[in-house]
Amino acid sequence: MLISSNELTALLKRVFEGMGYPVGYYEDAAALVKWLQVHGEQGFGELQRALPFVADRERPALQLLAEESQALLFDCHGRSALNCLPSIVELAETKALEQGCVNVKVRNCHNRKFVLKLLVDCARQGISGLAYWQNGKQPVSEHVASIAAGAAYPSYSEALLVDPATADTQTLTLLLSTRIDLLGQLHGSASQRSGYRQVGPEQFARAGQGALEGGMDISIELWQQLNQLAEAVLVENSEQSRSGAGGR
């Protein structure tokens, strides 16, 4: 079935609010999912893979392990990027604007592809960014995304490692700078990588325009699943209304 951009935004906000994300956090999470889907990077698929980790109120909170003038080290304790990356990048942006550059390492974080939209946010503030991460076990995939300061869209590349040495599949490395443009991509060496794919800013722009004009296709199963998650908001609000009415 086809849904519009506005319908997707409203549904995703209700979903994350229903999962207990507070005001501000559920808007951020919805925006990250929507950006991937609108720009052709399977935001719905990423969300389905993220669902085991997004309702993460029982997990330990995001932890800042070390902070220096130009470096930050975080532990997400198995949380989803949808929950913790927006606040991490916000602090990193502040440091980049103050110091000129910052190196961020994020450990034990799932669903790191959602960083793409956050790189776009950095670029709007005059900050260039580069992100690197790995996914999976057998096979292991490598991912690089980068954006120039002031650019509207990032560049993104991914590939499978033919013979990974020591995979680090729950870590994100993020570099931000106001001094230089951090533009990078994976080397497409056939001896080291296979299944190489690259997406440029022009492709992201075309995908976004197409989604806005023609809508987005979502399976009935996922639509129903998301609406069931969103119903938690309605149930909670109804119970609070009844409780409030009875107390007067």
Side-chain angles (χ1 to χ4, degrees):
M1 61 178 289
L2 286 176
I3 61 172
S4 69
S5 176
N6 289 338
E7 287 174 321
L8 177 59
T9 298
L11 174 60
L12 289 173
K13 285 182 178 180
R14 296 202 318 272
V15 166
F16 290 111
E17 186 181 6
M19 290 180 175
Y21 280 42
V23 175
Y25 284 81
Y26 70 74
E27 290 95 342
D28 287 341
L32 299 187
V33 176
K34 178 183 174 180
W35 195 97
L36 283 189
Q37 183 62 32
V38 166
H39 294 93
E41 287 301 308
Q42 301 177 348
F44 293 148
E46 290 293 326
L47 176 58
Q48 285 184 300
R49 285 187 284 274
L51 286 177
F53 309 103
V54 292
D56 46 18
R57 284 176 287 183
E58 301 304 317
R59 298 178 188 271
L62 168 67
Q63 184 179 8
L64 176 59
L65 298 178
E67 179 177 5
E68 299 177 3
S69 61
Q70 295 182 330
L72 296 166
L73 175 61
F74 291 91
D75 192 334
C76 291
H77 297 291
R79 287 176 173 263
S80 170
L82 292 169
N83 176 283
C84 56
L85 266 191
S87 56
I88 289 174
V89 173
E90 183 178 2
L91 177 58
E93 287 172 339
T94 300
K95 279 196 171 291
L97 292 170
E98 291 175 349
Q99 304 293 334
C101 62
V102 63
N103 183 344
V104 183
K105 182 80 74 173
V106 184
R107 296 175 179 169
N108 300 311
C109 179
H110 294 281
N111 321 125
R112 284 144 297 154
K113 191 174 182 179
F114 290 115
V115 75
L116 288 178
K117 196 267 181 185
L118 295 171
L119 288 176
V120 174
D121 294 341
C122 289
R124 291 192 183 117
Q125 298 192 56
I127 301 171
S128 174
L130 185 147
Y132 172 83
W133 69 99
Q134 296 180 349
N135 272 342
K137 294 182 179 179
Q138 293 181 342
V140 173
S141 59
E142 273 190 315
H143 306 258
V144 169
S146 62
I147 193 167
Y153 300 99
S155 295
Y156 169 70
S157 57
E158 63 178 353
L160 298 177
L161 286 174
V162 174
D163 186 22
T166 56
D168 193 2
T169 58
Q170 290 186 18
T171 297
L172 173 72
T173 298
L174 179 65
L175 304 176
L176 300 180
S177 177
T178 58
R179 297 172 179 168
I180 58 174
D181 279 334
L182 301 165
L183 301 179
Q185 63 186 50
L186 293 173
H187 296 297
S189 171
S191 62
Q192 295 178 337
R193 298 178 176 88
S194 64
Y196 182 81
R197 184 175 79 97
Q198 183 176 355
V199 185
E202 300 83 4
Q203 291 165 279
F204 281 123
R206 285 196 300 269
Q209 187 61 36
L212 290 175
E213 293 175 354
M216 289 157 283
D217 191 25
I218 183 172
S219 70
I220 296 295
E221 293 76 16
L222 180 57
W223 176 259
Q224 292 174 341
Q225 183 181 13
L226 294 179
N227 273 283
Q228 288 172 357
L229 293 171
E231 284 175 4
V233 177
L234 299 177
V235 171
E236 183 176 352
N237 288 344
S238 297
E239 290 177 347
Q240 290 176 348
S241 296
R242 287 194 297 269
S243 174
R248 291 195 178 113

